[in-house]
Amino acid sequence: MQQTRQQDGGVGINWRAFIPSALFVLAFCLIAVVAPEGLGRQVDRSFSWAVRFFGLYWQLLMLATFTVSLGIAAHPGAGRILGGIAKPQFGAFKWVSMIMCTLLAGGGVFWAAGEPMAHFLSPPPLFADVEAASRDAVPFALAQSYLHWGFLAWAILGSLSTIVLMHYHYDRGLPLAPRTLLYPVFGERAISGALGDIADAVAAVAVLAG
């Protein structure tokens, strides 16, 4: 069954994930037009709450992901070809072009300058004793930015998540969707159950919010 999903599934819209995510985004945009200041305060409060209770967990999770990625790179099976094809579908030039026009264009190009300036003007909590907008704040602002856009981030974006998705999609025939990342833990419930729909909807909202 898993081997035939990719061929028989076709291309379509998962309405169970699309409708709630679309309604959330639409409601968010309407509130942003009607009451932007109130929405801004609520977003700031939500962000502060998330950082307070999950900040350490996120940092440890990123470090663990980086460690696992290094382990995979050093493993004897690191040279295994995924997808059952001897030659990649896209050459190196096309692959780099896609990366430059998507991830780096939307994130790296903007935040490469925006994030260091934000941390320079408002030092991160760990460096709260550093005077904002001073010469001393420069290295700490860059350090925090390197953390977000350095090896730890690429371990998630370009390594572990990609490997998991490639294996389960091309070798096992599972959907090329965020829900597939939950398959190793939740099994079939992540693919055909409500859990998968929630994962896809939350991922769509997170991409737009980001």
Side-chain angles (χ1 to χ4, degrees):
M1 178 179 178
Q2 291 178 346
Q3 297 296 330
T4 59
R5 286 181 184 175
Q6 181 180 344
Q7 292 141 356
D8 299 337
V11 177
I13 297 176
N14 181 356
W15 294 104
R16 292 176 300 180
F18 175 79
I19 292 177
S21 59
L23 290 177
F24 180 88
V25 172
L26 179 60
F28 187 92
C29 293
L30 290 176
I31 296 175
V33 173
V34 176
E37 295 182 358
L39 180 63
R41 289 192 297 268
Q42 184 59 43
V43 169
D44 290 340
R45 284 195 294 265
S46 301
F47 179 77
S48 299
W49 179 86
V51 170
R52 178 182 177 185
F53 290 99
F54 298 102
L56 179 60
Y57 166 74
W58 288 334
Q59 297 294 336
L60 293 177
L61 185 61
M62 290 181 67
L63 183 60
T65 303
F66 177 62
T67 303
V68 172
S69 298
L70 288 180
I72 293 176
H75 192 271
R80 178 183 175 184
I81 298 176
L82 299 177
I85 55 177
K87 184 179 180 180
Q89 181 180 359
F90 301 101
F93 178 79
K94 290 183 178 180
W95 179 244
V96 173
S97 298
M98 286 189 287
I99 293 177
M100 295 296 294
C101 294
T102 53
L103 173 66
L104 293 182
V109 172
F110 177 80
W111 287 111
E115 184 163 337
M117 290 302 299
H119 295 314
F120 173 71
L121 297 174
S122 179
L126 183 61
F127 313 123
D129 57 336
V130 178
E131 182 183 356
S134 66
R135 181 183 297 270
D136 295 335
V138 173
F140 299 106
L142 292 175
Q144 189 74 13
S145 300
Y146 293 155
L147 172 67
H148 291 164
W149 293 97
F151 293 109
L152 296 183
W154 280 103
I156 297 175
L157 299 173
S159 179
L160 192 58
S161 300
T162 304
I163 292 173
V164 173
L165 272 177
M166 285 179 63
H167 170 65
Y168 280 106
H169 177 66
Y170 292 106
D171 295 335
R172 304 288 295 275
L174 298 182
L176 192 61
R179 66 177 63 207
T180 299
L181 294 173
L182 301 179
Y183 181 80
V185 178
F186 297 101
E188 189 64 27
R189 289 182 298 167
I191 303 302
S192 56
L195 180 64
D197 296 329
I198 294 174
D200 289 351
V202 170
V205 171
V207 170
L208 292 173

